[in-house]
Coordinates of all heavy atoms in Angstrom, one line a residue:
M1 N -41.5 -84.8 -51.0 CA -42.3 -84.1 -50.0 C -41.6 -82.7 -49.7 O -40.4 -82.7 -49.5 CB -42.4 -84.9 -48.7 CG -43.2 -84.1 -47.6 SD -43.4 -85.3 -46.2 CE -43.6 -84.2 -45.0
A2 N -42.3 -81.7 -49.8 CA -41.7 -80.4 -49.5 C -41.6 -80.1 -48.1 O -42.5 -80.4 -47.3 CB -42.6 -79.3 -50.3
H3 N -40.5 -79.6 -47.7 CA -40.2 -79.3 -46.3 C -40.5 -77.8 -46.0 O -40.0 -76.9 -46.8 CB -38.8 -79.6 -45.9 CG -38.4 -81.0 -46.1 ND1 -39.0 -82.1 -45.4 CD2 -37.6 -81.6 -47.0 CE1 -38.5 -83.1 -45.8 NE2 -37.8 -83.0 -46.8
T4 N -41.3 -77.4 -45.1 CA -41.5 -76.0 -44.8 C -40.6 -75.7 -43.6 O -40.2 -76.4 -42.9 CB -43.1 -75.8 -44.5 OG1 -43.4 -76.5 -43.3 CG2 -44.0 -76.3 -45.6
E5 N -40.6 -74.3 -43.4 CA -39.9 -73.8 -42.3 C -40.5 -74.2 -41.0 O -39.8 -74.5 -40.0 CB -39.8 -72.3 -42.4 CG -38.9 -71.7 -41.3 CD -38.8 -70.2 -41.5 OE1 -38.8 -69.7 -42.7 OE2 -38.6 -69.4 -40.5
Q6 N -41.8 -74.3 -41.0 CA -42.6 -74.7 -39.7 C -42.2 -76.1 -39.4 O -42.1 -76.5 -38.2 CB -44.0 -74.5 -39.9 CG -44.8 -74.7 -38.7 CD -46.3 -74.5 -38.9 OE1 -46.8 -74.3 -39.9 NE2 -47.1 -74.7 -37.8
S7 N -42.1 -77.0 -40.4 CA -41.8 -78.4 -40.1 C -40.5 -78.6 -39.5 O -40.3 -79.4 -38.6 CB -42.0 -79.3 -41.4 OG -41.1 -79.0 -42.3
I8 N -39.6 -77.8 -40.0 CA -38.2 -77.9 -39.4 C -38.2 -77.4 -38.0 O -37.5 -78.0 -37.1 CB -37.2 -77.0 -40.2 CG1 -37.1 -77.6 -41.7 CG2 -35.7 -77.1 -39.6 CD1 -36.3 -76.8 -42.7
D9 N -38.9 -76.3 -37.6 CA -39.0 -75.7 -36.4 C -39.6 -76.7 -35.4 O -39.2 -76.9 -34.3 CB -39.8 -74.5 -36.3 CG -39.1 -73.3 -37.0 OD1 -37.9 -73.4 -37.2 OD2 -39.8 -72.3 -37.3
T10 N -40.7 -77.4 -35.8 CA -41.3 -78.4 -35.0 C -40.4 -79.6 -34.8 O -40.3 -80.1 -33.6 CB -42.5 -78.9 -35.7 OG1 -43.4 -77.8 -36.0 CG2 -43.3 -79.9 -34.9
L11 N -39.7 -80.0 -35.8 CA -38.8 -81.1 -35.6 C -37.7 -80.8 -34.6 O -37.3 -81.7 -33.7 CB -38.1 -81.5 -36.9 CG -37.4 -82.8 -37.1 CD1 -38.3 -84.0 -36.8 CD2 -36.6 -82.9 -38.4
I12 N -37.1 -79.6 -34.6 CA -36.1 -79.2 -33.7 C -36.6 -79.1 -32.3 O -36.1 -79.6 -31.3 CB -35.5 -77.8 -34.2 CG1 -34.7 -77.9 -35.4 CG2 -34.6 -77.2 -32.9 CD1 -34.3 -76.6 -36.0
S13 N -37.9 -78.5 -32.1 CA -38.4 -78.4 -30.8 C -38.8 -79.7 -30.2 O -38.4 -80.0 -29.0 CB -39.8 -77.6 -30.9 OG -40.5 -77.5 -29.8
I14 N -39.4 -80.7 -30.9 CA -39.7 -81.9 -30.4 C -38.4 -82.7 -30.1 O -38.4 -83.4 -29.1 CB -40.6 -82.6 -31.4 CG1 -42.0 -82.0 -31.5 CG2 -40.8 -84.2 -31.0 CD1 -42.8 -82.5 -32.6
S15 N -37.4 -82.6 -30.9 CA -36.2 -83.4 -30.7 C -35.5 -82.9 -29.5 O -35.0 -83.7 -28.7 CB -35.2 -83.2 -31.9 OG -35.7 -83.9 -33.0
G16 N -35.5 -81.6 -29.2 CA -34.8 -81.1 -27.9 C -35.6 -81.5 -26.7 O -35.0 -81.9 -25.8
T17 N -36.9 -81.6 -26.8 CA -37.7 -82.0 -25.6 C -37.4 -83.6 -25.4 O -37.3 -84.0 -24.2 CB -39.2 -81.8 -25.9 OG1 -39.4 -80.4 -26.2 CG2 -40.1 -82.3 -24.7
L18 N -37.4 -84.4 -26.4 CA -37.2 -85.8 -26.2 C -35.8 -86.1 -25.9 O -35.7 -87.0 -25.1 CB -37.6 -86.5 -27.7 CG -39.1 -86.6 -27.9 CD1 -39.3 -87.2 -29.3 CD2 -39.9 -87.4 -26.9
A19 N -34.8 -85.3 -26.2 CA -33.5 -85.6 -25.8 C -33.4 -85.3 -24.3 O -32.8 -86.0 -23.6 CB -32.5 -84.6 -26.5
S20 N -34.1 -84.3 -23.8 CA -34.1 -84.0 -22.4 C -34.7 -85.1 -21.6 O -34.3 -85.5 -20.6 CB -34.8 -82.6 -22.2 OG -34.1 -81.6 -22.8
I21 N -35.9 -85.6 -22.1 CA -36.6 -86.6 -21.4 C -35.8 -87.9 -21.4 O -35.6 -88.5 -20.2 CB -38.0 -86.9 -22.1 CG1 -38.9 -85.7 -21.9 CG2 -38.6 -88.2 -21.6 CD1 -40.2 -85.8 -22.7
N22 N -35.1 -88.2 -22.5 CA -34.3 -89.5 -22.5 C -33.1 -89.3 -21.5 O -32.7 -90.3 -20.9 CB -33.9 -89.8 -23.9 CG -35.0 -90.4 -24.7 OD1 -35.8 -91.2 -24.2 ND2 -35.0 -90.1 -26.0
L23 N -32.4 -88.1 -21.5 CA -31.4 -88.0 -20.6 C -31.8 -88.0 -19.2 O -31.0 -88.6 -18.2 CB -30.7 -86.6 -20.9 CG -29.8 -86.6 -22.2 CD1 -29.3 -85.2 -22.4 CD2 -28.7 -87.6 -22.1
A24 N -33.0 -87.6 -18.8 CA -33.6 -87.7 -17.5 C -33.8 -89.2 -17.1 O -33.5 -89.6 -16.0 CB -34.8 -86.9 -17.4
L25 N -34.2 -89.9 -18.1 CA -34.5 -91.4 -17.9 C -33.0 -92.1 -17.7 O -33.0 -93.0 -16.8 CB -35.1 -92.0 -19.0 CG -36.6 -91.7 -19.1 CD1 -37.2 -92.1 -20.5 CD2 -37.4 -92.2 -17.9
V26 N -32.1 -91.7 -18.3 CA -30.7 -92.3 -18.1 C -30.2 -91.9 -16.7 O -29.7 -92.8 -16.1 CB -29.8 -91.7 -19.2 CG1 -28.3 -92.0 -18.9 CG2 -30.1 -92.2 -20.6
A27 N -30.5 -90.7 -16.3 CA -30.1 -90.3 -15.0 C -30.8 -91.0 -13.9 O -30.2 -91.5 -12.8 CB -30.3 -88.7 -14.7
I28 N -32.2 -91.3 -14.1 CA -32.9 -92.1 -13.2 C -32.4 -93.5 -13.0 O -32.3 -94.0 -11.9 CB -34.4 -92.0 -13.6 CG1 -35.0 -90.6 -13.3 CG2 -35.2 -93.1 -12.8 CD1 -36.3 -90.4 -13.8
L29 N -32.2 -94.1 -14.1 CA -31.6 -95.4 -14.1 C -30.2 -95.5 -13.5 O -29.9 -96.4 -12.8 CB -31.5 -96.0 -15.6 CG -32.9 -96.5 -16.2 CD1 -32.8 -96.8 -17.7 CD2 -33.5 -97.6 -15.4
A30 N -29.4 -94.5 -13.8 CA -28.1 -94.5 -13.2 C -28.1 -94.3 -11.7 O -27.2 -94.7 -10.9 CB -27.2 -93.4 -13.8
A31 N -29.2 -93.7 -11.2 CA -29.3 -93.5 -9.7 C -29.7 -94.7 -8.9 O -29.7 -94.8 -7.7 CB -30.3 -92.3 -9.5
K32 N -30.2 -95.7 -9.6 CA -30.7 -96.9 -9.0 C -29.4 -97.7 -8.3 O -28.4 -97.6 -8.9 CB -31.5 -97.8 -10.0 CG -32.8 -97.3 -10.3 CD -33.6 -98.3 -11.2 CE -33.9 -99.5 -10.5 NZ -34.8 -100.4 -11.3
T33 N -29.7 -98.3 -7.2 CA -28.6 -99.0 -6.6 C -28.2 -100.3 -7.4 O -27.0 -100.6 -7.5 CB -28.9 -99.3 -5.2 OG1 -30.2 -100.1 -5.1 CG2 -29.1 -98.1 -4.3
S34 N -29.2 -101.0 -7.9 CA -28.9 -102.2 -8.6 C -29.7 -102.1 -9.9 O -30.9 -101.8 -9.9 CB -29.2 -103.5 -7.8 OG -30.6 -103.5 -7.6
I35 N -29.0 -102.5 -10.9 CA -29.5 -102.6 -12.3 C -29.4 -103.9 -12.9 O -28.3 -104.5 -12.8 CB -28.9 -101.5 -13.1 CG1 -29.8 -100.2 -13.3 CG2 -28.4 -101.9 -14.4 CD1 -29.2 -99.2 -14.2
D36 N -30.4 -104.5 -13.5 CA -30.3 -105.7 -14.1 C -29.9 -105.6 -15.6 O -29.9 -104.4 -16.1 CB -31.5 -106.7 -13.9 CG -32.8 -106.1 -14.6 OD1 -32.7 -105.0 -15.3 OD2 -33.8 -106.7 -14.4
H37 N -29.8 -106.6 -16.3 CA -29.3 -106.6 -17.7 C -30.3 -105.9 -18.6 O -29.9 -105.2 -19.6 CB -29.0 -108.0 -18.3 CG -27.8 -108.6 -17.6 ND1 -26.5 -108.1 -17.6 CD2 -27.7 -109.7 -16.8 CE1 -25.7 -108.8 -16.9 NE2 -26.4 -109.9 -16.4
V38 N -31.6 -106.2 -18.4 CA -32.7 -105.5 -19.3 C -32.6 -104.0 -19.1 O -32.7 -103.3 -20.0 CB -34.0 -106.1 -18.9 CG1 -35.1 -105.4 -19.7 CG2 -34.0 -107.6 -19.2
E39 N -32.5 -103.5 -17.8 CA -32.4 -102.1 -17.5 C -31.2 -101.4 -18.1 O -31.2 -100.3 -18.5 CB -32.5 -101.8 -16.0 CG -33.9 -102.1 -15.5 CD -33.9 -102.0 -14.0 OE1 -32.9 -102.3 -13.3 OE2 -35.0 -101.8 -13.4
V40 N -30.1 -102.2 -18.2 CA -28.9 -101.7 -18.8 C -29.1 -101.5 -20.3 O -28.6 -100.4 -20.9 CB -27.7 -102.6 -18.6 CG1 -26.4 -102.2 -19.5 CG2 -27.3 -102.6 -17.1
A41 N -29.7 -102.4 -20.9 CA -30.1 -102.3 -22.3 C -31.0 -101.2 -22.5 O -30.9 -100.4 -23.5 CB -30.7 -103.6 -22.8
A42 N -32.1 -100.9 -21.7 CA -32.9 -99.8 -21.8 C -32.2 -98.5 -21.7 O -32.5 -97.5 -22.4 CB -34.0 -100.0 -20.8
D43 N -31.3 -98.5 -20.7 CA -30.5 -97.3 -20.5 C -29.6 -96.9 -21.7 O -29.6 -95.8 -22.1 CB -29.5 -97.5 -19.3 CG -28.7 -96.3 -18.9 OD1 -29.2 -95.3 -18.6 OD2 -27.4 -96.5 -19.0
D44 N -29.1 -98.0 -22.3 CA -28.3 -97.7 -23.7 C -29.2 -97.2 -24.7 O -28.9 -96.3 -25.5 CB -27.6 -99.0 -24.0 CG -26.5 -99.3 -23.1 OD1 -26.0 -98.5 -22.4 OD2 -26.0 -100.5 -23.2
F45 N -30.4 -97.7 -24.8 CA -31.4 -97.2 -25.9 C -31.8 -95.9 -25.6 O -31.8 -95.0 -26.5 CB -32.7 -98.2 -26.0 CG -32.5 -99.3 -26.8 CD1 -32.3 -100.6 -26.2 CD2 -32.5 -99.2 -28.1 CE1 -32.3 -101.7 -27.0 CE2 -32.4 -100.4 -28.9 CZ -32.3 -101.6 -28.4
F46 N -32.0 -95.4 -24.3 CA -32.3 -94.1 -24.1 C -31.2 -93.2 -24.3 O -31.4 -92.0 -24.7 CB -32.8 -94.0 -22.6 CG -34.2 -94.5 -22.3 CD1 -34.3 -95.3 -21.2 CD2 -35.2 -94.4 -23.1 CE1 -35.6 -95.9 -20.9 CE2 -36.5 -94.9 -22.9 CZ -36.7 -95.7 -21.7
L47 N -30.0 -93.6 -24.0 CA -28.8 -92.7 -24.3 C -28.5 -92.5 -25.7 O -28.3 -91.4 -26.1 CB -27.5 -93.4 -23.6 CG -26.2 -92.6 -23.7 CD1 -26.3 -91.3 -23.1 CD2 -25.1 -93.5 -23.2
F48 N -28.6 -93.6 -26.5 CA -28.3 -93.4 -27.9 C -29.4 -92.6 -28.6 O -29.3 -91.8 -29.6 CB -28.0 -94.8 -28.6 CG -26.7 -95.3 -28.3 CD1 -26.7 -96.5 -27.6 CD2 -25.6 -94.6 -28.5 CE1 -25.4 -97.2 -27.3 CE2 -24.3 -95.1 -28.1 CZ -24.3 -96.4 -27.5
S49 N -30.7 -92.8 -28.2 CA -31.8 -92.1 -28.7 C -31.6 -90.6 -28.4 O -32.0 -89.6 -29.2 CB -33.1 -92.6 -28.4 OG -33.3 -92.5 -26.9
S50 N -31.2 -90.2 -27.2 CA -31.0 -88.9 -26.9 C -29.9 -88.2 -27.7 O -30.1 -87.1 -28.1 CB -30.7 -88.6 -25.4 OG -29.5 -89.3 -25.0
L51 N -28.8 -89.0 -27.9 CA -27.8 -88.5 -28.9 C -28.3 -88.3 -30.3 O -28.0 -87.3 -31.0 CB -26.7 -89.3 -28.9 CG -25.8 -89.5 -27.6 CD1 -24.7 -90.7 -27.7 CD2 -25.1 -88.2 -27.4
G52 N -29.2 -89.1 -30.7 CA -29.9 -89.0 -32.0 C -30.7 -87.8 -32.1 O -30.6 -87.0 -33.1
F53 N -31.4 -87.5 -31.0 CA -32.2 -86.3 -31.0 C -31.4 -85.1 -31.0 O -31.8 -84.1 -31.6 CB -33.2 -86.3 -29.8 CG -34.4 -87.4 -29.9 CD1 -34.6 -88.2 -29.0 CD2 -35.1 -87.4 -31.1 CE1 -35.6 -89.2 -29.1 CE2 -36.1 -88.3 -31.2 CZ -36.5 -89.1 -30.2
L54 N -30.2 -85.1 -30.3 CA -29.4 -83.9 -30.4 C -28.8 -83.7 -31.7 O -28.6 -82.5 -32.1 CB -28.4 -84.1 -29.3 CG -28.7 -84.1 -27.9 CD1 -27.7 -84.3 -26.9 CD2 -29.4 -82.7 -27.5
F55 N -28.5 -84.8 -32.5 CA -28.0 -84.6 -33.8 C -29.1 -84.0 -34.7 O -28.8 -83.3 -35.6 CB -27.6 -86.0 -34.4 CG -26.2 -86.4 -34.0 CD1 -26.0 -87.6 -33.4 CD2 -25.1 -85.5 -34.2 CE1 -24.7 -88.0 -33.1 CE2 -23.8 -86.0 -33.8 CZ -23.6 -87.1 -33.2
V56 N -30.3 -84.3 -34.5 CA -31.4 -83.8 -35.2 C -31.6 -82.3 -35.0 O -31.8 -81.5 -35.9 CB -32.8 -84.5 -34.9 CG1 -34.0 -83.8 -35.4 CG2 -32.8 -85.9 -35.4
V57 N -31.4 -81.9 -33.7 CA -31.4 -80.4 -33.4 C -30.3 -79.7 -34.3 O -30.5 -78.7 -34.9 CB -31.2 -80.2 -32.0 CG1 -31.0 -78.7 -31.7 CG2 -32.4 -80.7 -31.2
V58 N -29.1 -80.3 -34.3 CA -28.0 -79.7 -34.9 C -28.2 -79.7 -36.5 O -28.0 -78.6 -37.1 CB -26.6 -80.4 -34.7 CG1 -25.5 -79.9 -35.5 CG2 -26.2 -80.2 -33.2
L59 N -28.6 -80.7 -37.0 CA -28.9 -80.8 -38.5 C -30.0 -79.9 -38.9 O -30.0 -79.3 -40.0 CB -29.3 -82.3 -38.9 CG -28.1 -83.2 -38.8 CD1 -28.6 -84.7 -39.2 CD2 -27.0 -82.8 -39.7
G60 N -31.1 -79.8 -38.1 CA -32.2 -78.9 -38.3 C -31.8 -77.4 -38.3 O -32.1 -76.6 -39.1
Y61 N -30.9 -77.1 -37.3 CA -30.3 -75.8 -37.2 C -29.5 -75.5 -38.5 O -29.6 -74.4 -39.2 CB -29.4 -75.6 -36.0 CG -28.6 -74.4 -36.0 CD1 -29.2 -73.1 -35.7 CD2 -27.3 -74.3 -36.4 CE1 -28.5 -72.0 -35.7 CE2 -26.6 -73.1 -36.3 CZ -27.2 -71.9 -36.0 OH -26.6 -70.7 -35.9
L62 N -28.7 -76.4 -39.0 CA -27.9 -76.2 -40.2 C -28.8 -76.1 -41.4 O -28.5 -75.3 -42.3 CB -26.9 -77.3 -40.4 CG -25.8 -77.4 -39.3 CD1 -24.9 -78.7 -39.6 CD2 -24.9 -76.2 -39.5
A63 N -29.9 -76.9 -41.4 CA -30.8 -76.8 -42.5 C -31.5 -75.4 -42.6 O -31.7 -74.8 -43.7 CB -31.9 -77.8 -42.4
Q64 N -31.8 -74.8 -41.4 CA -32.4 -73.5 -41.4 C -31.4 -72.4 -41.9 O -31.7 -71.5 -42.5 CB -32.8 -73.1 -40.0 CG -34.1 -73.8 -39.5 CD -34.5 -73.4 -38.1 OE1 -33.6 -73.1 -37.2 NE2 -35.8 -73.4 -37.8
K65 N -30.1 -72.6 -41.5 CA -29.1 -71.7 -41.9 C -28.9 -71.7 -43.5 O -28.5 -70.8 -44.1 CB -27.8 -71.9 -41.2 CG -27.9 -71.5 -39.8 CD -28.1 -70.0 -39.7 CE -28.1 -69.5 -38.3 NZ -28.5 -68.1 -38.1
N66 N -29.0 -72.8 -43.9 CA -28.8 -73.0 -45.4 C -30.1 -73.2 -46.3 O -30.1 -73.8 -47.3 CB -27.9 -74.3 -45.7 CG -26.6 -74.2 -45.1 OD1 -26.0 -73.1 -45.1 ND2 -26.1 -75.3 -44.4
Q67 N -31.1 -72.6 -45.8 CA -32.4 -72.8 -46.4 C -32.5 -72.3 -47.9 O -31.8 -71.3 -48.3 CB -33.5 -71.8 -45.7 CG -34.8 -72.5 -45.6 CD -35.7 -71.8 -44.5 OE1 -35.4 -70.7 -44.2 NE2 -36.7 -72.5 -44.0
G68 N -33.0 -73.1 -48.7 CA -33.2 -72.7 -50.1 C -32.2 -73.5 -51.0 O -32.3 -73.6 -52.2
S69 N -31.2 -74.1 -50.4 CA -30.2 -74.8 -51.1 C -30.5 -76.3 -51.1 O -31.4 -76.8 -50.4 CB -28.8 -74.6 -50.5 OG -28.7 -75.2 -49.2
A70 N -29.9 -77.0 -52.0 CA -30.0 -78.4 -52.1 C -29.6 -79.2 -50.9 O -30.2 -80.1 -50.5 CB -29.3 -79.0 -53.3
N71 N -28.5 -78.6 -50.2 CA -28.0 -79.2 -49.1 C -29.0 -79.2 -47.9 O -29.1 -80.1 -47.0 CB -26.7 -78.5 -48.6 CG -25.5 -78.9 -49.4 OD1 -25.5 -80.0 -50.1 ND2 -24.6 -78.1 -49.4
A72 N -29.9 -78.1 -47.8 CA -30.8 -77.9 -46.8 C -31.9 -79.1 -46.9 O -32.3 -79.7 -45.8 CB -31.5 -76.6 -46.9
N73 N -32.4 -79.4 -48.1 CA -33.3 -80.5 -48.2 C -32.7 -81.8 -47.8 O -33.4 -82.6 -47.2 CB -33.8 -80.6 -49.7 CG -34.8 -79.4 -50.0 OD1 -35.5 -78.8 -49.1 ND2 -34.8 -79.0 -51.2
R74 N -31.5 -82.0 -48.1 CA -30.8 -83.3 -47.8 C -30.6 -83.4 -46.3 O -30.9 -84.4 -45.6 CB -29.5 -83.4 -48.5 CG -28.8 -84.8 -48.3 CD -27.7 -85.0 -49.2 NE -26.6 -83.9 -48.8 CZ -25.7 -83.6 -49.8 NH1 -25.7 -84.0 -51.0 NH2 -24.8 -82.6 -49.4
L75 N -30.2 -82.2 -45.6 CA -30.1 -82.2 -44.2 C -31.4 -82.5 -43.4 O -31.4 -83.2 -42.4 CB -29.6 -80.8 -43.8 CG -28.1 -80.5 -44.0 CD1 -27.7 -79.1 -43.7 CD2 -27.2 -81.5 -43.2
V76 N -32.5 -82.0 -44.0 CA -33.8 -82.2 -43.4 C -34.2 -83.7 -43.6 O -34.7 -84.3 -42.6 CB -34.9 -81.3 -44.0 CG1 -36.3 -81.7 -43.5 CG2 -34.6 -79.8 -43.7
S77 N -34.0 -84.2 -44.7 CA -34.3 -85.7 -44.9 C -33.4 -86.5 -44.0 O -34.0 -87.4 -43.3 CB -34.0 -86.1 -46.4 OG -34.8 -85.4 -47.2
I78 N -32.2 -86.2 -43.8 CA -31.4 -87.0 -43.0 C -31.8 -86.8 -41.5 O -31.9 -87.8 -40.7 CB -29.8 -86.6 -43.0 CG1 -29.3 -86.9 -44.4 CG2 -29.0 -87.2 -41.9 CD1 -28.0 -86.3 -44.7
S79 N -32.1 -85.6 -41.1 CA -32.6 -85.4 -39.7 C -33.9 -86.1 -39.5 O -34.2 -86.6 -38.4 CB -32.8 -84.0 -39.4 OG -33.7 -83.3 -40.2
E80 N -34.8 -86.2 -40.5 CA -36.1 -87.0 -40.3 C -35.7 -88.4 -40.1 O -36.5 -89.1 -39.3 CB -36.9 -86.7 -41.6 CG -37.6 -85.4 -41.5 CD -38.4 -85.1 -42.9 OE1 -38.2 -85.9 -43.9 OE2 -39.2 -84.2 -42.8
W81 N -34.8 -89.0 -40.8 CA -34.5 -90.4 -40.7 C -33.9 -90.7 -39.2 O -34.2 -91.7 -38.7 CB -33.5 -90.9 -41.8 CG -34.2 -91.2 -43.1 CD1 -34.3 -90.5 -44.1 CD2 -34.9 -92.5 -43.3 NE1 -35.0 -91.1 -45.1 CE2 -35.4 -92.4 -44.6 CE3 -35.2 -93.5 -42.5 CZ2 -36.2 -93.3 -45.2 CZ3 -36.0 -94.5 -43.2 CH2 -36.4 -94.5 -44.4
I82 N -33.1 -89.7 -38.9 CA -32.4 -89.9 -37.4 C -33.5 -89.8 -36.5 O -33.4 -90.6 -35.5 CB -31.2 -88.9 -37.3 CG1 -30.1 -89.2 -38.3 CG2 -30.8 -88.9 -35.9 CD1 -29.1 -88.2 -38.3
F83 N -34.4 -88.9 -36.6 CA -35.5 -88.6 -35.7 C -36.4 -89.9 -35.5 O -36.6 -90.4 -34.5 CB -36.4 -87.5 -36.1 CG -37.6 -87.3 -35.2 CD1 -37.4 -86.5 -34.0 CD2 -38.8 -87.8 -35.5 CE1 -38.5 -86.2 -33.2 CE2 -39.9 -87.6 -34.7 CZ -39.7 -86.9 -33.5
S84 N -36.6 -90.5 -36.7 CA -37.4 -91.8 -36.7 C -36.7 -92.9 -36.0 O -37.3 -93.6 -35.2 CB -37.8 -92.2 -38.1 OG -38.6 -91.2 -38.8
G85 N -35.4 -93.0 -36.3 CA -34.6 -94.1 -35.6 C -34.5 -93.8 -34.1 O -34.6 -94.8 -33.3
S86 N -34.4 -92.6 -33.7 CA -34.3 -92.3 -32.2 C -35.6 -92.5 -31.6 O -35.6 -92.9 -30.4 CB -33.8 -90.8 -32.1 OG -32.6 -90.6 -32.6
L87 N -36.7 -92.2 -32.3 CA -38.0 -92.4 -31.7 C -38.2 -93.9 -31.5 O -38.8 -94.3 -30.5 CB -39.1 -91.7 -32.6 CG -40.5 -91.6 -32.0 CD1 -40.4 -90.9 -30.7 CD2 -41.4 -91.1 -33.0
A88 N -37.7 -94.8 -32.5 CA -38.0 -96.1 -32.4 C -37.2 -96.7 -31.2 O -37.6 -97.6 -30.5 CB -37.5 -96.8 -33.7
A89 N -35.9 -96.1 -31.0 CA -35.0 -96.6 -29.9 C -35.7 -96.2 -28.6 O -35.6 -96.9 -27.6 CB -33.7 -95.9 -30.0
T90 N -36.3 -95.0 -28.5 CA -37.0 -94.7 -27.3 C -38.1 -95.6 -26.9 O -38.3 -96.0 -25.8 CB -37.5 -93.3 -27.4 OG1 -36.5 -92.3 -27.6 CG2 -38.2 -92.8 -26.2
V91 N -38.9 -96.0 -28.0 CA -39.9 -97.0 -27.7 C -39.5 -98.3 -27.3 O -40.0 -98.8 -26.3 CB -40.8 -97.1 -29.0 CG1 -41.8 -98.2 -28.9 CG2 -41.5 -95.8 -29.4
I92 N -38.3 -98.8 -27.9 CA -37.7 -100.0 -27.5 C -37.2 -99.9 -26.0 O -37.5 -100.8 -25.2 CB -36.6 -100.4 -28.4 CG1 -37.2 -100.8 -29.9 CG2 -35.8 -101.6 -27.9 CD1 -36.1 -100.9 -30.9
G93 N -36.6 -98.8 -25.7 CA -36.2 -98.6 -24.3 C -37.3 -98.6 -23.3 O -37.3 -99.2 -22.2
A94 N -38.5 -98.0 -23.7 CA -39.6 -98.0 -22.8 C -40.2 -99.3 -22.6 O -40.7 -99.8 -21.6 CB -40.7 -97.0 -23.5
V95 N -40.3 -100.1 -23.7 CA -40.8 -101.5 -23.7 C -39.9 -102.4 -22.7 O -40.4 -103.1 -22.0 CB -40.9 -102.1 -25.1 CG1 -41.1 -103.6 -25.1 CG2 -42.0 -101.4 -25.9
L96 N -38.6 -102.2 -22.8 CA -37.7 -102.9 -22.0 C -37.9 -102.5 -20.5 O -37.8 -103.3 -19.6 CB -36.2 -102.6 -22.4 CG -35.8 -103.3 -23.7 CD1 -34.4 -102.9 -24.2 CD2 -35.9 -104.8 -23.5
M97 N -38.2 -101.2 -20.2 CA -38.4 -100.7 -18.9 C -39.7 -101.4 -18.3 O -39.8 -101.8 -17.2 CB -38.5 -99.2 -18.9 CG -37.2 -98.5 -18.9 SD -36.1 -98.8 -17.7 CE -37.0 -98.2 -16.3
V98 N -40.7 -101.4 -19.1 CA -42.0 -102.1 -18.7 C -41.7 -103.6 -18.4 O -42.2 -104.1 -17.5 CB -43.1 -101.8 -19.7 CG1 -44.3 -102.7 -19.5 CG2 -43.5 -100.3 -19.8
Y99 N -41.0 -104.2 -19.3 CA -40.7 -105.6 -19.2 C -39.9 -105.9 -17.9 O -40.2 -106.8 -17.3 CB -39.8 -106.1 -20.4 CG -39.4 -107.5 -20.3 CD1 -40.2 -108.6 -20.4 CD2 -38.0 -107.8 -20.0 CE1 -39.7 -109.8 -20.3 CE2 -37.5 -109.0 -19.9 CZ -38.4 -110.0 -20.0 OH -37.9 -111.4 -19.9
S100 N -38.9 -105.0 -17.5 CA -38.2 -105.2 -16.3 C -39.0 -105.0 -15.0 O -38.7 -105.4 -14.0 CB -36.9 -104.3 -16.3 OG -37.2 -103.0 -16.2
A101 N -40.0 -104.2 -15.2 CA -40.9 -103.8 -14.1 C -41.9 -104.9 -13.8 O -42.4 -105.0 -12.7 CB -41.6 -102.6 -14.3
V102 N -42.1 -105.9 -14.8 CA -43.1 -106.9 -14.6 C -42.5 -108.2 -14.0 O -41.4 -108.5 -13.8 CB -43.8 -107.3 -15.9 CG1 -44.7 -108.5 -15.8 CG2 -44.4 -106.1 -16.6

């Protein structure tokens, strides 16, 4: 699959936004007076997914700087995989949050 400059820009933008949202969720969970085991697990999922999204931002930036080289395509592929994993971790964290609220 050919990667365009616009797809890299979109990936960086979305990753930055999702990293911010996940860090806000971590802060909200940390502000609670009592946290059960499920919420601790959700907190960890949100934290690690935010770190993954931040890595995607860095890798996307490096891919933009090295555009046209073989390394750029590899960086974009790696960032897409990390993005997918981080998005899955966010969904798992959200499911755990809903589970703990029920």
Side-chain angles (χ1 to χ4, degrees):
M1 178 174 156
H3 303 292
T4 64
E5 186 176 328
Q6 184 179 4
S7 68
I8 297 169
D9 291 342
T10 303
L11 192 66
I12 291 172
S13 175
I14 292 171
S15 293
T17 303
L18 289 173
S20 300
I21 291 170
N22 283 327
L23 287 174
L25 289 169
V26 168
I28 290 169
L29 283 172
K32 289 181 72 173
T33 55
S34 65
I35 255 183
D36 63 5
H37 295 296
V38 176
E39 289 174 331
V40 169
D43 183 60
D44 290 342
F45 275 105
F46 289 136
L47 180 63
F48 288 121
S49 65
S50 66
L51 290 173
F53 288 129
L54 290 174
F55 280 124
V56 169
V57 171
V58 171
L59 291 174
Y61 172 77
L62 292 173
Q64 283 181 331
K65 288 296 183 187
N66 298 317
Q67 216 166 22
S69 69
N71 286 338
N73 288 334
R74 189 170 59 210
L75 287 172
V76 172
S77 295
I78 292 169
S79 64
E80 287 174 343
W81 278 102
I82 294 172
F83 179 85
S84 297
S86 298
L87 192 58
T90 299
V91 170
I92 292 169
V95 167
L96 290 173
M97 284 298 297
V98 170
Y99 172 75
S100 70
V102 176

